[in-house]
Amino acid sequence: MKLFIDTANIADIRRLNELGIVDGVTTNPSWISRDSKGRSFKEIVQEICREVKGPVSAEVTSTDTAGMLKEARDISTWAKNTVIKLPTTAEGLKALKTLSGEGIKTNMTLVFSANQALLAGKLEATFVSPFIGRLYDAGYDGMQLIKDCTAIYRNYGFKTKILAASFREPREITEAALAGADIATVKPELVEQMIKNPFTDAGLKSFLDSWAAMKKQK
Ligand code: G3P
């Protein structure tokens, strides 16, 4: 499973990229707004695209198809690895159909049902982003959506990659991998939690204590 980082914070992206585990980045208007520090959307996206070789999703903010297409065509010139994030609405699906025809990479976002994912697959989105955590927040089974998406895409041979998003805890990343998600996009703090394990720390301490005790005897 590929791992994308779900943030627009360049310091976090750089730190995690040094580990060699970052296959791409997803941003959204909230992440861009949180980390803009007076810089433009374009500057932030270009900086991320220079740091990470893989796909970098940048979201349109228009709600009509014409506006989405105008933004998408502009964003796609900012760097070779930009991916256009579109909301999964009727207007967004119309924009997707046109962008698929133009060979522009897309990420259908805010997906909360298997039917939305089915439509994104039919229209040949590059990625589809089911929001697991927001479904759990509302009392639904977020992981079932990933299972449904993988089964539907397998049934029809859709090439769209399932980019599981909106994770709340590390266990959900394991479950998404088991359910067959192609990619997980994960917030930096959750990536840290994927790495860290108290048993690893305790085991390492005990090994190093043994080593120090042996050195003392010499
Ligand atoms: O990138 C979209 C998604 O991951 C947002 O997550 O935590 O706002 O539901 P969250």
Side-chain angles (χ1 to χ4, degrees), residues 5-7 26-28 30-31 59 85 107 109-110 112 129-135 137 163-168 185-187:
I5 306 302
D6 196 20
T7 186
T26 52
T27 69
N28 62 35
S30 301
W31 301 162
E59 190 160 340
K85 224 172 171 188
N107 175 359
T109 191
L110 293 163
F112 293 95
S129 292
F131 275 33
I132 298 168
R134 292 193 194 187
L135 280 171
D137 294 346
L163 203 179
S166 176
F167 288 97
R168 297 282 179 266
T185 188
V186 179
K187 295 171 192 75

Side-chain angles (χ1 to χ4, degrees), residues 37-216:
K37 298 182 185 84
R39 290 170 309 151
S40 70
F41 180 28
K42 182 174 178 176
E43 283 171 319
I44 299 168
V45 170
Q46 286 183 324
E47 187 176 42
I48 298 170
C49 286
R50 280 195 297 274
E51 174 63 30
V52 173
K53 286 200 179 70
V56 175
S57 291
E59 190 160 340
V60 299
T61 48
S62 298
T63 52
D64 63 301
T65 305
M68 289 179 194
L69 288 174
K70 189 165 179 280
E71 282 187 66
R73 289 175 182 135
D74 181 32
I75 294 169
S76 68
T77 66
W78 293 354
K80 280 189 183 145
N81 49 341
T82 53
V83 173
I84 311 304
K85 224 172 171 188
L86 299 165
T88 310
T89 58
E91 294 295 306
L93 289 168
K94 275 194 272 176
L96 168 61
K97 184 173 162 50
T98 302
L99 294 174
S100 294
E102 293 177 11
I104 292 178
K105 292 206 167 92
T106 48
N107 175 359
M108 296 311 286
T109 191
L110 293 163
V111 165
F112 293 95
S113 78
N115 281 336
Q116 289 178 311
L118 170 60
L119 297 174
K122 276 177 74 67
L123 294 173
E124 300 179 349
T126 314
F127 302 102
V128 66
S129 292
F131 275 33
I132 298 168
R134 292 193 194 187
L135 280 171
Y136 280 127
D137 294 346
Y140 296 96
D141 184 350
M143 209 51 63
Q144 188 57 47
L145 176 57
I146 302 296
K147 290 176 190 162
D148 291 347
C149 291
T150 53
I152 291 167
Y153 282 20
R154 202 179 308 119
N155 282 350
Y156 298 100
F158 289 154
K159 294 202 171 61
T160 302
K161 299 290 180 206
I162 298 167
L163 203 179
S166 176
F167 288 97
R168 297 282 179 266
E169 48 184 80
R171 176 69 204 165
E172 292 166 359
I173 302 162
T174 311
E175 285 173 10
L178 289 168
D182 298 293
I183 308 147
T185 188
V186 179
K187 295 171 192 75
E189 56 276 21
L190 266 187
V191 179
E192 312 285 1
Q193 288 182 47
M194 288 173 78
I195 298 166
K196 195 142 177 73
N197 190 296
F199 293 116
T200 305
D201 295 341
L204 180 61
K205 183 179 179 314
S206 124
F207 287 156
L208 294 180
D209 287 348
S210 307
W211 199 253
M214 180 186 74
K215 293 268 162 163
K216 246 190 215 165

